[in-house]
Amino acid sequence: MPKLSYLKALNRALGDEMNRDPSVFVLGEDMNLALTNVTAGFLDRFGPDRVIETPLSEQGFTNFATGAAMAGRRPVIEFQIPFLLLLVFEQIANQANKFSLMSGGQHAVPVTYLMPAAGWRTGWGAQHSDQPYSIFAHMGVKTVMPATPADAYGLLTTAIRDDDPVVFFGPLASLGVREDVDFAELAPIPLGVGCVHRKGTDVTVVAIGHLVHDAIAVADELADEVSVEVFDPRTLHPFDWTGLAASLEKTGRLVVIDDANRSCGLGGEILATAAEEMRLIAPPRRVTRPDGAIVGASPELDVALQPTREQLVTAIQRVLKYGGDAA
Amino acid sequence: MTEPAQTLRDSLYRTIRLIRRFEERSIDLVKAGEIGSGIHPCIGQEAVATGVCAALDPDDIILSSHRGHGHLLAKGSDPGRVLAEMAGRVTGIDKARGGSFHPSDLSAGVYNATGTVGHGAAIAAGIAWASAKAGDGKVIVSFFGDGAVSQGALLEGFNLAALWQLPVVYVCENNGYATTLPVETAVAGTITGRGEAFGIPSRSVDGQDPEVVLAAAAEAVARARSGGGPSLIECRTYRYHGHHTFELKARLKYRDETEIAAWRERDPMDIQAARVDAGTRERIDAEIEELLDDVVRFAVDSPRPDAVDAQDYQYATGLRTRAGVADA
Ligand SMILES: Cc1ncc(C[n+]2csc(CCOP(=O)(O)OP(=O)(O)O)c2C)c(N)n1
Ligand SMILES: [Mg+2]
């Protein structure tokens, strides 16, 4: 079977949608040279009317996309750096995402905000290393963060076809991930449907984005001692609460590994919901970033502030102390 | 400027009169507690909406502002459904989800009135881009106040519209104040200078005279429709009332009565009334009173929304997210 990388999956999904639907177009900075490679080859394939090079006017072109979407287009905006999503947070969360509501359903704003390199970048400094997905989920903006190439293909396709604004986070640490895929089987993946990468019975590990791969590695490493179920929500809002509840019904123990900041991060929401509504036989735990910034200028300092496999192993061991029926 | 035909003069008068009386009746409803939000009245500024919208075709699109009732009426929205919206009734143009502040009415080509001051400028550019690519010949008007010209996103919108020569007409209603802030203490340079910096043909006109506004708008609309790109029109105008009806109670001191009285000397309704014969005027006035009686009755008698529907329309796809309480 051929290999597909995460980055190539983004390129393929966007290209396939642009082929399929003439209302889809892409805009962003350094498009003409396809700087991030997401749109490699697109200028030749689709021409400058559908591959739009913008000036450095993020607020302007984010609102521009809202207008184009109201007029029947399906814009995909590529952002080069996570903080640019903070610069346009208001335009997405308070404008694009509220026009359906405020118009009593007259407007749809089908814009996809594609952030293909989210998270820490070695040496790029504190301003380039954020992972701001929780705030979009908090504001009720549809938000996805797939971990694998096939999921990236499927969820980018769905995001583009969805009639609401959708923020797509592609973790930088996953861009190089490659997967054997049957191209004929690449397909849209519905929003709000998670995926169990490893089945298990002792503990559910909810992992987000690139941390899914760490969670799988840990599950494999601990396989002789403990049966770990790895649950990847894929969509952060709307979240697959049903899928999580089904997993906890079996395991009753929960650990979340989440690259968001700790306060008000998605991990906190997952723990809170599980505690309120789901079966738990042990106090749940989460492994997250601390509150505040990643240093971003020195690998030793940076790694110290991000969730690690060791922390995940410790958290798993902690929850296993509760509820006698563990394997 | 050649004189407009008498029928057009009459209809400009009619629109101004309708907006004036609609706003006055709305203020009564604010006082009566029927419009809980209060409103941003546009009394004194009616000639701007009236003149600009008279230059548009029904298919053209406008983006309004928080001071938007005049824009809606001038563009042809049903006054009863506009008032019902302001009063939070389900028969409103946005089913009680937009209110006075955020109206959309696609049936009349009113796309929205974003609450983020100045941000409609770039939304307008996006709509205009889509229209231009579709070749549908539509012109997009973006209305905003003098406060908006200090907003970076507006200038980014100007840049995109000028760069890509989009069919947009930017209309700045300079009423002298952004809430309590006088324009001369907020704007370095000039408002038209903002447009000129991007190579956008920009004019400052008397916003109290609907025929002057119409002439400027017609020129800008023709330029946009023929592929000549965006224009900026600064309409010098004035609001007689407070920024918002909260000023009926909060007596804010930021302008004096002589200034208001001086502007009332150049009242847009009087200016246009002088161009209409007395008999026609009486007939129009009477028709409007009769219409507004129906409009008020329709709005006030319309049902309020049902609380169980509070999460409707949050998403275009109909997605329902979790309630605020588990197992509610
Ligand atoms: C970006 C932004 N800043 C501040 C506000 C709060 N606000 C609402 S209306 C207004 C005044 C706007 O003045 P102007 O643009 O001159 O319009 P006018 O009210 O005079 O019609 C302000 C400050 C807002 N809604 N958006
Ligand atoms: Mg003003």
Side-chain angles (χ1 to χ4, degrees):
Chain A
M1 264 202 282
K3 291 259 189 212
L4 180 67
S5 76
Y6 196 109
L7 184 62
K8 201 78 187 111
L10 298 180
N11 173 272
R12 198 177 176 95
L14 183 51
D16 285 356
E17 281 312 286
M18 288 178 72
N19 255 340
R20 197 185 63 80
D21 179 353
S23 72
V24 179
F25 70 98
V26 59
L27 67 161
E29 291 156 26
D30 303 300
M31 272 297 134
N32 287 346
L33 286 172
L35 187 68
T36 64
N37 273 318
V38 170
T39 55
F42 281 20
L43 192 58
D44 288 341
R45 271 171 81 190
F46 301 109
D49 277 357
R50 297 182 67 200
V51 181
I52 297 180
E53 175 92 6
T54 62
L56 311 193
S57 303
E58 290 79 13
Q59 297 193 342
F61 65 66
T62 299
N63 277 346
F64 174 93
T66 299
M70 286 177 164
R73 299 299 193 106
R74 288 185 182 272
V76 177
I77 311 179
E78 190 200 63
F79 292 93
Q80 290 181 349
I81 313 165
F83 77 72
L84 296 175
L85 287 172
L86 302 181
L87 189 60
V88 300
F89 184 59
E90 194 279 333
Q91 286 80 24
I92 298 173
N94 191 45
Q95 297 192 59
N97 202 47
K98 289 183 180 168
F99 287 133
S100 168
L101 169 66
M102 295 193 301
S103 65
Q106 294 174 83
H107 283 301
V109 185
V111 182
T112 303
Y113 311 91
L114 175 58
M115 174 62 254
W120 173 54
R121 300 184 190 200
T122 324
W124 283 55
Q127 288 186 306
H128 285 75
S129 298
D130 279 331
Q131 195 66 283
Y133 46 80
S134 299
I135 61 172
F136 288 97
H138 176 73
M139 287 298 285
V141 181
K142 293 177 178 178
T143 306
V144 302
M145 195 179 203
T148 69
D151 284 356
Y153 181 95
L155 279 163
L156 182 54
T157 306
T158 299
I160 295 169
R161 293 184 191 178
D162 196 89
D163 280 341
D164 290 307
V166 181
V167 187
F168 183 109
F169 282 90
L172 180 64
S174 290
L175 288 192
V177 169
R178 288 154 66 86
E179 186 180 9
D180 291 323
V181 294
D182 178 349
F183 286 129
E185 285 187 0
L186 289 172
I189 291 169
L191 296 182
V193 178
C195 149
V196 173
H197 290 280
R198 286 285 183 282
K199 281 192 181 306
T201 50
D202 295 332
V203 54
T204 299
V205 171
V206 176
I208 294 169
H210 59 285
L211 297 172
V212 167
H213 303 288
D214 294 291
I216 292 171
V218 165
D220 291 347
E221 181 189 311
L222 300 181
D224 292 340
E225 308 151 42
V226 47
S227 168
V228 176
E229 175 138 312
V230 177
F231 180 79
D232 169 7
R234 305 193 286 195
T235 304
L236 309 182
H237 179 80
F239 196 91
D240 183 1
W241 299 116
T242 314
L244 178 61
S247 180
L248 290 176
E249 210 44 56
K250 280 191 303 182
T251 66
R253 296 186 189 86
L254 172 64
V255 174
V256 177
I257 182 161
D258 171 19
D259 198 29
N261 291 0
R262 199 161 179 85
S263 294
C264 305
L266 200 75
E269 180 55 38
I270 296 168
L271 258 59
T273 300
E276 266 192 299
E277 302 173 33
M278 298 175 193
R279 174 174 177 261
L280 285 179
I281 57 171
R285 303 198 76 88
R286 68 196 145 131
V287 178
T288 66
R289 287 187 178 200
D291 292 329
I294 294 289
V295 179
S298 125
E300 293 74 22
L301 301 177
D302 299 341
V303 171
L305 299 178
Q306 289 175 78
T308 63
R309 291 184 188 184
E310 293 68 38
Q311 290 169 333
L312 177 59
V313 170
T314 306
I316 290 171
Q317 286 163 348
R318 289 251 182 104
V319 298
L320 282 170
K321 290 192 184 138
Y322 296 84
D325 54 335
Chain B
M1 203 170 88
T2 52
E3 274 190 12
Q6 192 56 46
T7 48
L8 177 57
R9 295 196 133 170
D10 295 352
S11 109
L12 291 171
Y13 173 74
R14 187 184 188 286
T15 305
I16 291 186
R17 176 88 192 176
L18 173 66
I19 298 171
R20 171 72 52 95
R21 292 293 298 135
F22 180 93
E23 290 288 69
E24 288 171 349
R25 300 289 294 258
S26 300
I27 292 171
D28 291 343
L29 292 176
V30 170
K31 290 176 179 162
E34 289 288 350
I35 301 176
S37 63
I39 63 168
H40 300 91
C42 69
I43 294 175
Q45 302 182 204
E46 299 91 339
V48 179
T50 300
V52 169
C53 291
L56 298 176
D57 290 345
D59 281 350
D60 290 332
I61 291 166
I62 68 168
L63 297 181
S64 181
S65 69
H66 55 283
R67 203 173 301 289
H69 312 148
H71 307 146
L72 286 154
L73 298 182
K75 190 64 175 59
S77 280
D78 176 66
R81 295 192 60 219
V82 174
L83 191 64
E85 184 62 36
M86 294 157 59
R89 304 305 211 270
V90 285
T91 53
I93 46 174
D94 304 304
K95 305 189 178 76
R97 269 75 176 179
S100 165
F101 291 17
H102 306 301
S104 296
D105 182 2
L106 265 57
S107 70
V110 182
Y111 265 43
N112 65 48
T114 189
T116 317
V117 163
H119 283 231
I123 298 178
I127 300 171
W129 176 86
S131 277
K133 293 294 170 206
D136 61 20
K138 287 181 192 171
V139 171
I140 321 302
V141 173
S142 166
F143 287 101
F144 49 84
D146 48 285
V149 305
S150 300
Q151 188 67 214
L154 174 126
L155 301 175
E156 294 185 8
F158 280 13
N159 188 49
L160 296 179
L163 201 58
W164 298 331
Q165 288 292 287
L166 301 174
V168 190
V169 179
Y170 289 115
V171 178
C172 178
E173 300 189 60
N174 178 2
N175 61 8
Y177 295 89
T179 317
T180 64
L181 179 73
V183 64
E184 50 289 348
T185 64
V187 176
T190 61
I191 290 175
T192 48
R194 302 280 196 279
E196 284 154 5
F198 299 100
I200 297 176
S202 304
R203 290 181 57 187
S204 177
V205 304
D206 175 9
Q208 299 309 88
D209 185 335
E211 296 187 0
V212 170
V213 174
L214 170 58
E219 180 192 300
V221 167
R223 181 180 300 119
R225 225 186 286 288
S226 63
S231 309
L232 168 64
I233 307 169
E234 176 197 1
C235 298
R236 298 184 307 273
T237 183
Y238 199 77
R239 59 169 162 76
Y240 301 162
H241 285 246
H243 168 68
H244 176 273
T245 46
F246 65 58
E247 282 193 46
L248 292 171
K249 285 183 184 146
R251 295 260 166 221
L252 304 173
K253 203 72 196 114
Y254 57 92
R255 53 184 188 170
D256 54 46
E257 293 303 324
T258 53
E259 180 182 288
I260 302 174
W263 277 92
R264 279 187 185 273
E265 289 296 306
R266 300 211 59 253
D267 183 64
M269 196 166 71
D270 294 344
I271 288 174
Q272 199 58 18
R275 296 168 179 151
V276 176
D277 76 62
T280 309
R281 226 162 53 213
E282 272 166 33
R283 180 177 52 76
I284 291 173
D285 292 359
E287 277 170 15
I288 287 174
E289 292 316 303
E290 207 175 308
L291 170 73
L292 289 178
D293 286 344
D294 289 346
V295 161
V296 170
R297 206 174 304 116
F298 170 76
V300 171
D301 290 350
S302 287
R304 293 177 187 275
D306 192 329
V308 300
D309 300 327
Q311 286 189 295
D312 284 1
Y313 310 115
Q314 299 258 355
Y315 298 92
T317 51
L319 171 71
R320 277 270 179 157
T321 50
R322 297 186 295 167
V325 177
D327 312 318

